[in-house]
Amino acid sequence: MDQQLTPLLLCLLLATIVSTATSRFIVEKNTVKVISPEELTGEREAAIANYGIPNYGGSLTGVIVYPDTKTNGCDEFDTKFKSKSKRAVILLVDRGDCYFALKSWNAQQAGAAAVLVGDNVQEPLLTMDTPEESFETEYVENITIPSAFITRSFTEALKKQLKKSNEEIVVKIDWTESMPHPDERVEYEFWTNSNDECGARCDEQMDFVKNFKGHAQLLERGNYTLFTPHYITWYCPEAFLLSKQCKSQCINNGRYCAPDPEQDFDSGYDGKDIVIENLRQLCVHRVANSLGRSWVWWDFVTDYHIRCSMKNQKYSKDCAEKVLKSLSLPLDKIGECMGDPAADKDNDIMKTEQLVQVGHGGRGDVTILPTLVINNIQYRGKLESTAVLRAICAGFKESTEPHVCLTQDMETNECLDNDGGCWRDKKLNVTACHDTYRGRICKCPLVSGVQWEGNGYSSCKAVGPGRCSANNGGCWTESKDGKTISACSDSNLNGCKCPSGFDGDGYTCVDIDECKAKTACQCDGCSCTNTWGGYDCKCKGDLIYIKGEDTCIAKNMSTSGWFLTILVLSCVIGLGIGGFVYYKFRLRSYMDSEIVAIMSQYMPIDNQNIEINTVREDAQA
């Protein structure tokens, strides 16, 4: 009897959780833009398949090819598809007669770079999912090309154009906006399960956790990402609370449940064992996060899977606590977080899981395992380490990606080819091209602490402190006769100004001929010779030229001349000392009068000329 009720109970468990809100499955989309011919140009939406590897953050340009035979793609193609223009082939196949994934696999084997599956009825776009795992569907894991689903009207338009003309239909499949990229930190969730006996799905989850662990911890330690694990849970309908099924599959009196791993209530592990371990792993993340070690969750989950596997009959609390101790996680805090699974009351952690399982904003409900949510968008495609890392890298605001996203294996450095078309100073080997995961941006650089400003495409110039050390701040400079002169001044944060002795706008400076312009060396008996950036002025005979006064004086002065000079200097010094003494006297008199005026406000003073010393003596008496 119990065994017969199991399928019904599982359906009820699913139905009750979904009934808490309107169920929403969000179709994640990309765009297909027709580049040519002109009569088809425009942009259409397409639905991203939940298999293969979508090119999040990127695009693919290719030629539409529709096979002459086997148009549904359900059978292997006899030849390799090629385009006349040598562009990538995007194979168009019809919907129906076999799994979506099989169509993509056959297309990949025939040389296609991507697949568009055309709908055969007029309806909203849908998500192409993978079939149930079996020996006959092992090819799904080997699909590496992207696939998308398009509407019937778009499909018919493409077919009509192919019949009408031999001209190639060039399209661009674009995923650049399929993944939101608002800021410098990516937030992502992984909906998983601690059960390791649920077949290929469980194996897929654990393989991903083990393979992605290194990337995840690197990103988390660098504060590039905010990761949160989640676990799907159901609750038992009230009518079944006392049944054997609910008691064996649920905790907290039917509030939080998981299916029996072996579908056998009389042997092996129960569903509640899974719920309790799910709860423990949630608390591991919470406690580790509070200790500033959020990345330890990845260590615990991988270690628990190896040391405490259900398959080895070690899936238990004792084994879990040994793993916790090995990772220096506090058992008391973990236990406090978990609460009492036998209590007839809500568990705050598990209740939160049921609430966030329901879709909100642009994210749909989470109804299948595993599910990855990046920047509030459900990831579509193969759950594989590199593919997921690419999707996460696409979630960073351009130019804020961590180094792991810019390696040769992850993306192509567009700056290596002609600096991506950006500005470049060949002399200093400085470029405005910044490589990003999505492509490149042209932005004036910061070099050795010096900021450059400009549009990044045709011009950049150094500004701010130290700018003159960077190509003279873009100002004029020239060397001549062993001397270098520049129109850049570190005292000015921007702009260029020709130095004294030169004329121009700062970007071009020309020597001024002071002799010819008669702006210097105009004294009687002077002879002027122009130099680069200045002039030389000489006096006749033994006279010496005084530049500031533009005059000539005798080199050797007579005794009377020296006496007169000393007398003048003495007078100047004497007047200075006398003036200082008078200033001090006036200051002292002013201060004495101020003190007397202030004190008169607090006590009678008969004689305003009382000496300060007398006042002090009276105060002491």
Side-chain angles (χ1 to χ4, degrees), residues 378-448:
Q378 288 194 22
Y379 167 83
R380 297 286 184 242
K382 184 179 180 181
L383 192 66
E384 186 268 335
S385 177
T386 302
V388 169
L389 180 59
R390 289 179 185 276
I392 289 176
C393 288
F396 289 101
K397 182 179 180 180
E398 201 164 17
S399 80
T400 68
E401 307 95 335
H403 178 70
V404 68
C405 294
L406 303 177
T407 60
Q408 187 175 1
D409 295 336
M410 291 297 296
E411 57 95 36
T412 300
N413 188 345
E414 282 83 355
C415 293
L416 297 179
D417 184 12
N418 195 32
D419 296 290
C422 303
W423 169 89
R424 179 183 182 83
D425 188 310
K426 294 182 179 179
K427 184 177 180 180
L428 294 178
N429 195 26
V430 174
T431 178
C433 187
H434 293 261
D435 182 38
T436 69
Y437 179 76
R438 292 172 172 269
R440 65 96 176 101
I441 60 173
C442 295
K443 180 181 178 183
C444 293
L446 176 69
V447 182
S448 300

Side-chain angles (χ1 to χ4, degrees), residues 34-42 44 154 157 160-162 164-169:
V34 179
I35 300 173
S36 66
E38 186 175 352
E39 55 264 39
L40 270 184
T41 56
R44 282 85 166 178
F154 186 28
K160 183 178 179 181
Q161 181 62 36
L162 288 171
K164 173 183 175 183
S165 171
N166 290 327
E167 182 183 356
E168 290 184 330
I169 301 177

